Amino acid sequence: MHILILCREPRLYSCQRLKTAAEKRGHSMDILDPNRCFLKLIPNAPHFALYYQRNERDVADLLPKYDAVLPRFGTASTQMGCAVLRHLTAQGAACLNNEQAFLRARDKWQSLQLLQQASITVPTSGLAGSEFSVKHAVAQASMPAILKTLNGSQGIGVMLAEKPQTAASILETLQQVNVPTLLQDFVKEAENMDIRCFVIGDKVIATMLRQGQHGEFRANFHRGGVAKKITLTMDEQQIAIKATKALGLDVAGVDLIRSKQGLLVLEVNASPGLEMIEKTSGVDIALEMILYLEQKC
């Protein structure tokens, strides 16, 4: 197969691991930045055209047809990345994940709504319209509260407000710059820990327990979190798989948290990183992704 990874930074651990795994399986792989692509629709033509410009001085190259595509782009590339993904799948390329599922997962509020509709338990959460009183929105939340921008990743855009005044100040500031933000209950008993499940298809491939560093409520690797291996029950694994399917994803990083209410799904990531979970679990996740992609082609 000729495979394309859509990613702005080809040197990232995840991209390099996927490239190595693909090449070991006899496939070729390109890693290209979706923001450097030009899409062209031609009237009455059976195919679409896709061009790539490596820098501002270069003439754009017409890219070949790809058999499969792996979206690994960040939030800054969501719109263009999904447009390229749609372009390629219309030409018959297999993908992990399709653009609609990717967009669902990228919108934290929409994904929580879909999880709730699928009878999956999520933390108590709220979203206020731009004309809804900030004071009354905060009054609906328990303190301390988590505030999340709808499109953040790697722990960016996630804030902890200890008091109503702090939450109101953050909401007012973000509302002023038109950044939609959800309010979510802070689960104190979780003690700055969450569980990351890596799901591929109908199977949880790897799991890890993440612990935020001292004084940091976020457990993300990019925020200095540490991790250790953990074994989930079959019921817990089924929740992660069900959450993945609720958003229509083939591959997902599902974040779980243990609370007094039971297991909660915090969010579902459509482009989960491989580094921390591969090194913690010892599982060759990159290879598992390529094997699954082969089945889809």
Side-chain angles (χ1 to χ4, degrees):
M1 291 192 297
H2 193 187
I3 306 171
L4 172 64
I5 291 184
L6 291 172
C7 180
R8 298 209 65 192
E9 180 47 75
R11 292 171 295 183
L12 289 175
Y13 175 93
S14 298
C15 289
Q16 289 302 310
R17 286 285 298 115
L18 286 163
K19 185 175 177 65
T20 298
E23 290 173 349
K24 283 184 178 179
R25 293 288 298 170
H27 309 302
S28 61
M29 178 176 281
D30 295 330
I31 305 174
L32 301 178
D33 179 354
N35 289 356
R36 292 188 175 276
C37 289
F38 179 83
L39 307 175
K40 189 174 183 180
L41 304 176
I42 305 167
N44 304 316
H47 302 295
F48 308 145
L50 175 60
Y51 295 86
Y52 191 75
Q53 188 176 38
R54 297 188 181 278
N55 60 59
E56 290 182 359
R57 297 182 300 276
D58 285 349
V59 175
D61 297 321
L62 177 63
L63 293 176
K65 184 177 179 180
Y66 289 96
D67 301 300
V69 56
L70 290 167
R72 301 288 310 174
F73 45 84
T75 54
S77 309
T78 297
Q79 183 175 0
M80 191 62 192
C82 284
V84 175
L85 189 56
R86 190 180 308 115
H87 206 74
L88 293 167
T89 54
Q91 291 182 296
C95 67
L96 308 179
N97 301 292
N98 70 52
E99 90 284 351
Q100 286 300 321
F102 209 93
L103 286 169
R104 290 184 206 110
R106 275 286 155 89
D107 185 324
K108 286 185 170 63
W109 181 255
Q110 184 185 18
S111 63
L112 287 173
Q113 287 180 309
L114 291 169
L115 292 171
Q116 179 95 345
Q117 289 167 24
S119 300
I120 296 166
T121 309
V122 299
T124 300
S125 307
L127 178 69
S130 60
E131 298 301 320
F132 192 89
S133 161
V134 167
K135 177 182 177 181
H136 287 96
V138 172
Q140 291 284 339
S142 300
M143 292 294 132
I146 299 292
L147 293 89
K148 294 182 180 180
T149 59
L150 298 193
N151 297 306
S153 63
Q154 299 176 352
I156 298 170
V158 181
M159 297 146 281
L160 175 64
E162 298 280 357
K163 299 179 180 180
Q165 299 93 320
T166 306
S169 177
I170 294 170
L171 271 182
E172 287 171 345
T173 301
L174 294 171
Q175 199 174 77
Q176 189 72 26
V177 291
N178 298 313
V179 178
T181 306
L182 65 86
L183 280 160
Q184 198 168 73
D185 278 5
F186 176 64
V187 183
K188 185 177 181 180
E189 65 268 22
E191 298 180 334
N192 299 347
M193 290 186 289
D194 68 13
I195 298 164
R196 165 57 64 91
C197 299
F198 204 106
V199 179
I200 302 178
D202 295 322
K203 186 178 179 182
V204 174
I205 298 297
T207 57
M208 63 179 174
L209 180 70
R210 301 187 298 190
Q211 170 78 60
Q213 63 177 323
H214 181 69
E216 173 60 75
F217 70 95
R218 296 167 295 182
N220 306 70
F221 172 51
H222 295 86
R223 306 271 74 81
V226 296
K228 64 180 181 180
K229 293 178 71 171
I230 186 173
T231 301
L232 301 186
T233 67
M234 288 303 298
D235 285 344
E236 290 174 328
Q237 291 183 46
Q238 286 305 309
I239 290 171
I241 294 166
K242 187 177 180 181
T244 301
K245 291 187 176 298
L247 300 188
L249 295 165
D250 299 297
V251 173
V254 182
D255 294 339
L256 309 171
I257 194 165
R258 288 170 173 158
S259 75
K260 294 175 182 176
Q261 306 168 54
L263 197 69
L264 305 176
V265 175
L266 286 179
E267 66 179 70
V268 182
N269 191 321
S271 181
L274 304 187
E275 184 172 4
M276 192 177 195
I277 195 164
E278 277 200 336
K279 291 177 178 178
T280 302
S281 68
V283 177
D284 190 340
I285 298 173
L287 176 60
E288 295 292 339
M289 288 177 66
I290 297 301
L291 292 174
Y292 189 77
L293 187 58
E294 289 175 357
Q295 295 174 24
K296 294 200 71 177
C297 288

